[in-house]
Structure formats: C-alpha cells, structure tokens
Amino acid sequence: MGARVVVLGSGIAGHTAASFLRKWLGKEHQVVVVSPKTDYNWIPSNIWVGVGLLRAGQVLFPLPPVYKRAGIDYRQAKAVAIHPEGAVDAPSPFVEIEYTSPDKQGQHERVAYDYLINATGPKLHFEATPGLGPGQNTVSVCTADHAVEASKLLDEKVERMRKGERQRFLVGVGHGTSTCQGAAFEYIVNLEFELRRRGVRDKADITYLTNEYELGDFGMGGIHLRQGGYTTPSKIFTESLFAERGIDWVTRSHVSKIEPGRAFIETLAGEEKELAFDMAMLLPPFRGAALKAFDKDGVDITSRLFAPSGFMKVDADYTAKPYEQWRAADWPRTYQTEFKNVFAAGIAFAPPHPVSVPRQSLKGTNITPAPPRTGMPSATIAKAVAHSIVDMIHGAKEPTHTASMAEMGAACVASAGANPFTGTAASITVFPIVPDFEKYPEYGRDLKHTFGEIGLAGHWIKILLHHLFLHKAKMRPLWSLIPE
Amino acid sequence: MNPTSLTKTSHGRDDHWLSVTRPTAMTRFFRTFLPWQFVRFIVINFKMMRIIALSHRPPR
C-alpha cells in the first residue's frame, strides 16, 4: 500500500517539496498539498510590482491546474491542528484542515498522513507594531496584493511631485525584530531608480529605517568581501550604495508605533524619535502560522512542537545560551521534529537563535534582526526533506539528506534598478549563510566563496532567474534540472 | 538620531559625507559598460553555480 505525504503550504518550500515528492515517488504513493491560497507567488519579483514595473499577474499563477497535471492532490484549505499520534477515534496521525475554497468555505476535515511537511511560511505579524501595515498607515511588498497597493500609492506620490510638492519616503523594517532587510534594501534602491526614471527624484527625500546595527547586516551579521586588496565589511558597500543615490539612513531602531504620516522609533541608545513620511514601506516581523498540536488524548502539545514564535521545533539545539556560545552546529540539519514523520521546511522551522549579534536598547527593547531564510535556502531545505522522506518510504530508518544553513551557501541577486541597459543589481554569494567561526575563525565564512559585485550583469541574472524559477514552479518541461 | 544617520551641516553637506566610500566615475562606468558586463555575467553565473554545487550535499 502506498504512503501519503501531506505538505502544508505552497510557497517556495512547500511547492518545491511537493514537486520533487511527486517526481520521485511512484503513483502508488499520494502527495497532498494543503494551502489556503490558490496562486503561487514568485515573491522576489514583488519588488518590481511595488514600483509599478510588473503587474501582479506576472508574479502569480494558479496552482490547481499545475497540480492536476502533475498528479498532486490539492486542497484549498488552511491547516488548523496537527495530531501526530492520531486521536482516540483515529489511529493514524492526521492534520485537521479548514477549507477556504468558496464551495467548502469553513468545512473541517481530517487528512491522515504517513509523512507531514510543515511549510506554512511566515505569518506577517503587522500587529506587533500599532499602526503598521496595509489598511493602516504603511504599505508592504510581502504579497503581490500588498505590492500592487504600494505601486498605486507611489503613483499618487509621483503625481504630487510632478505638481511641485516635496514627498518623504520611508522604507525599511517596522519592528526591532523584523527580518527581510534584503527586500527593504531592494525596494528602496528600486524606488530611487524609478523616481529618477519618472523625472521627480529632485522632489523626493528618501530614508532607510532599519533594526540593523550597521547597514549591510541583512540579519546575517553582515558579510566580508575581498575587493581592491582589502577584506571589507558589507557596511562599507551598502553605505556607499545609499550615499551614491542620496538615500539617508537610520539604523539601530525599533518602530514602536505608526500614526498617519509619522513613525515613532526607539534607538538602541534609548532615544525616542519621530520620523515624518508621506509614504512608508515597512516590513513586519514574522511569526509562525497559528497551528496547534494535540496528542492522542486531545491534550494540547503545541509548546512541544512549536517555539513561542509559532515556528516549528526541529533538530536544532534550542538551549538558551549567550551569543559567545552560539555554534554553527546549533542549526538544524534534517528538519525532522520529535515525531519522526513530521518535518518543517523553509521559514516554518524555528531557528535556534538569531545570526546577528543580539542587542537590547537601554529600555530593554530587543533590537536584533531575525535570521533570514530566503528562497534559495528554503528550496534547498525543502528538496533535502523531500529526498529524506522518499528514502524513508523506501525503507531508510532516518533522514538521509541534510541542508544546514551553517553548511550551505546562498546566491542572491538584489535589484538596484530595473532597466536592461542602465539598471544594476548587487550579485552576492555567501558561504555558509550562518557563520561558522570554528571552521572559519576570522570572519566565520569562506571568503573564496563569499563575493559581491554591483553591475548590469546582476540585473540580467535577476531577469533570468525570474523566468527560470517561474518555469520551474509551473513544472514545465525540464523543470527539475533548474537548481534551487 | 543615531550615529549613522546622515544629517545636514551648516554648509549644506551631509556631516559624514566624507566618511562614506563612494565609487569613482570609472567604477560607475564599468557597471553598465556592455562588453565588460557580458564578461561579468558569465563570471557571476559561474560563481553562483559553484555555490549551488557546494550547497547541495550528497546523502549522509
């Protein structure tokens, strides 16, 4: 009898896992995807939607036809609770789902599984900062819809500037523990490029607001690059890029509250300041999806499976310890939970601790970027988890594949202006993502493989990746040959 | 404002303008100089493929 693998989520991690499970498992096995949204969103290109260069339809496509063609059982629903031991009236483990499709809206169902992958990604936790987020006082580019809203607001502001009004733009992160500084960086430099293209740059004051201790931290504790005969921190390059474009910056800050046109910030030094803006794109902190877990008797075991942040505990070392004792080996390798048939992939797994040095303001507010888990590591983790599950279905006792963020690198292209002849992008490779100071005592990373460069070639690569990854996600011919 | 925020001085310049590294005209020119960027396209792709190869670990 075949096995059933249930994947919760259809983002980069969930979709990658489901695609490879379907490719590697025979037809006697079942792959089920549970996701409340029917569209796949190539999130890295939301930046271009947010400045009006792409339409939402160019970063979204419907998943049901793709899953139907591939033979993946798709349920438009959200996961509510995991029952890893089953229940009194159900001997097998199952996940309780609630349908979000119009025809079954609100209906609950138990979906039994042999293996479960939690790839529910982040909950965008705008509520952490009063007044933050779409529908309130700021915009975002976290989803295609958010990015469309940001683009419309930008159009309004450009019209005002064309009439001679000066406008203030505030871009960055909206909380002391936010992550995704890379996306905020991309948005601000694309915004600046776009304002120049539309001929209104001279009417704009642009400020970057971040929880990073220094620019270029990106939640990774910064990186070091060898260039011009020196080993140089990413702070130097990021400051240079902003100064060159006339972008101001405010670092080491937590946003405590947003009111219409005003952001209230607290700095590490304990100062409280107010920043005025006409348009603000501030990214929220992330939480895990609101999933519960119950044992066989119905006792709530959520705190066993999930960290307080809502992310799923896997094979990491979660022992609380000071920064000086953090090790690369703390980071998970197989993403298996305490239940051998339950895994987490992508943003859904709980990191053991941040990567950046943790800091608190004089008032005790945590101002530390959360660790980034971007597309490449998310997909690489998902593929490794899928591989392990396939091997376990075929008889392996333990996970066979690993993908520790302290052992893998990342290649990242950060757009800095979208034009095929005058645009640029920062192409960056980092190895490993989480620094390993035991292996690389000086900088924590292998500088032979850690590299950065700004130029038009990076923009071409960004365009190429946009099309390649959409092709791959649509499971079109030869999709599996495209690397993560 | 914290120490790394640019602020204007009485002479109108950002007060730590001189502390920030900025690219020379030559560096900026090469960033969009097509023949050079074709070469860099190949080189960067190679570097990224190397990282991808390093990051996909064989079964343990």
Side-chain angles (χ1 to χ4, degrees):
Chain A
M1 190 179 153
R4 177 191 267 182
V5 187
V6 175
V7 181
L8 306 180
S10 60
I12 289 176
H15 187 58
T16 301
S19 304
F20 279 104
L21 284 165
R22 189 64 285 168
K23 176 180 163 59
W24 291 329
L25 286 173
K27 292 293 177 196
E28 70 275 22
H29 303 293
Q30 200 181 358
V31 179
V32 181
V33 171
V34 175
S35 177
K37 289 183 248 170
T38 54
D39 283 335
Y40 181 85
N41 180 197
W42 177 241
I43 292 170
S45 295
N46 284 358
I47 299 296
W48 290 337
V49 177
V51 292
L53 292 173
L54 290 183
R55 287 173 287 103
Q58 291 172 285
V59 297
L60 295 170
F61 68 85
L63 281 168
V66 176
Y67 285 153
K68 189 175 180 187
R69 176 163 42 86
I72 294 170
D73 180 349
Y74 170 65
R75 318 279 175 98
Q76 190 187 340
K78 63 177 182 183
V80 178
I82 299 171
H83 295 255
E85 299 170 346
V88 175
D89 56 345
S92 302
F94 66 90
V95 57
E96 185 184 343
I97 66 171
E98 180 184 331
Y99 281 92
T100 57
S101 56
D103 57 332
K104 292 183 176 177
Q105 179 87 33
Q107 288 182 30
H108 284 241
E109 184 181 331
R110 289 176 170 184
V111 181
Y113 63 81
D114 296 293
Y115 290 89
L116 179 72
I117 301 176
N118 174 16
T120 42
K123 176 186 183 299
L124 305 175
H125 193 38
F126 289 107
E127 303 80 15
T129 303
L132 180 72
Q136 299 215 55
N137 304 308
T138 62
V139 292
S140 136
V141 290
C142 293
T143 70
D145 288 345
H146 290 178
V148 168
E149 190 186 319
S151 168
K152 284 181 184 163
L153 186 61
L154 174 61
D155 288 344
E156 278 177 40
K157 300 303 169 192
V158 168
E159 279 312 306
R160 284 175 176 266
M161 286 187 277
R162 284 187 175 140
K163 287 175 186 161
E165 276 186 54
R166 213 166 172 82
Q167 295 287 293
R168 295 155 301 184
F169 295 87
L170 185 65
V171 175
V173 297
H175 192 271
T177 61
S178 290
T179 183
C180 259
Q181 289 78 10
F185 166 87
E186 279 193 277
Y187 190 74
I188 199 166
V189 286
N190 271 274
L191 171 76
E192 195 275 337
F193 187 86
E194 190 57 19
L195 293 177
R196 263 189 286 146
R197 193 184 69 80
R198 298 194 200 183
V200 292
R201 177 65 183 91
D202 59 325
K203 297 284 181 211
D205 297 315
I206 309 177
T207 304
Y208 184 70
L209 172 64
T210 183
N211 54 357
E212 296 158 283
Y213 189 74
E214 302 285 8
L215 289 186
D217 181 284
F218 295 122
M220 300 192 297
I223 56 173
H224 287 81
L225 305 167
R226 280 186 185 149
Q227 262 192 20
Y230 289 85
T231 301
T232 311
S234 46
K235 164 185 189 289
I236 300 296
F237 295 103
T238 316
E239 285 185 351
S240 170
L241 215 126
F242 280 3
E244 185 190 344
R245 288 160 174 75
I247 296 172
D248 197 352
W249 61 86
V250 180
T251 55
R252 308 175 189 180
S253 297
H254 162 71
V255 181
S256 50
K257 183 173 66 166
I258 307 269
E259 288 182 358
R262 293 190 301 172
F264 295 83
I265 63 168
E266 175 191 342
T267 68
L268 270 178
E271 293 172 298
E272 289 185 356
K273 299 278 178 181
E274 201 180 305
L275 297 176
F277 62 83
D278 297 294
M279 172 176 171
M281 198 296 289
L282 299 174
L283 299 174
F286 292 166
R287 280 188 61 81
L291 270 169
K292 306 287 278 181
F294 298 94
D295 73 4
K296 197 173 183 63
D297 299 319
V299 176
D300 191 326
I301 55 166
T302 306
S303 61
R304 262 173 66 193
L305 246 72
F306 295 93
S309 58
F311 295 120
M312 196 170 220
K313 292 181 193 168
V314 290
D315 62 321
D317 180 353
Y318 293 109
T319 314
K321 46 190 167 185
Y323 172 73
E324 297 72 31
Q325 292 173 24
W326 291 358
R327 297 173 62 232
D330 297 340
W331 286 75
R333 301 185 82 229
T334 67
Y335 302 89
Q336 190 179 44
T337 66
E338 68 169 279
F339 295 96
K340 301 291 182 192
N341 59 344
V342 179
F343 293 77
I347 294 176
F349 85 84
H353 42 66
V355 179
S356 304
V357 179
R359 290 184 169 91
Q360 285 193 338
S361 74
L362 292 177
K363 294 175 181 168
T365 305
N366 185 12
I367 306 182
T368 309
R373 280 149 289 166
T374 55
M376 183 177 166
S378 291
T380 306
I381 291 165
K383 190 176 180 182
V385 166
H387 226 141
S388 289
I389 289 175
V390 169
D391 289 344
M392 290 169 81
I393 287 172
H394 292 143
K397 297 285 180 217
E398 296 293 335
T400 51
H401 283 68
T402 64
S404 166
M405 282 176 61
E407 294 169 2
M408 77 166 87
C412 169
V413 184
S415 172
N419 181 285
F421 300 106
T422 59
T424 53
S427 307
I428 299 163
T429 63
V430 181
F431 189 88
I433 300 169
V434 174
D436 183 344
F437 286 99
E438 287 168 33
K439 200 166 180 184
Y440 309 105
E442 204 165 6
Y443 299 109
R445 295 196 175 93
D446 185 344
L447 296 195
K448 285 201 304 291
H449 301 301
T450 299
F451 151 88
E453 178 175 323
I454 299 165
L456 179 58
H459 176 65
W460 294 337
I461 294 171
K462 184 92 178 166
I463 297 276
L464 184 68
L465 294 180
H466 170 88
H467 292 291
L468 275 178
F469 286 128
L470 279 173
H471 179 94
K472 179 174 182 168
K474 289 175 182 173
M475 300 179 76
R476 285 182 171 159
L478 306 178
W479 66 268
S480 60
L481 299 179
I482 298 167
E484 283 64 50
Chain B
M1 208 53 61
N2 76 52
T4 53
S5 170
L6 293 172
T7 49
K8 305 286 181 190
T9 58
S10 55
H11 53 78
R13 282 205 153 172
D14 299 321
D15 67 351
H16 64 185
W17 180 261
L18 295 176
S19 72
V20 177
T21 306
R22 288 164 60 88
T24 61
M26 178 75 88
T27 301
R28 289 206 306 272
F29 169 76
F30 274 103
R31 282 182 188 167
T32 52
F33 180 53
L34 289 179
W36 178 241
Q37 289 302 314
F38 281 123
V39 173
R40 299 313 298 166
F41 180 80
I42 294 163
V43 171
I44 295 168
N45 269 296
F46 173 75
K47 284 175 182 283
M48 289 189 166
M49 291 305 288
R50 198 170 55 174
I51 285 292
I52 290 165
L54 279 170
S55 300
H56 286 71
R57 299 171 65 81
R60 59 181 188 169

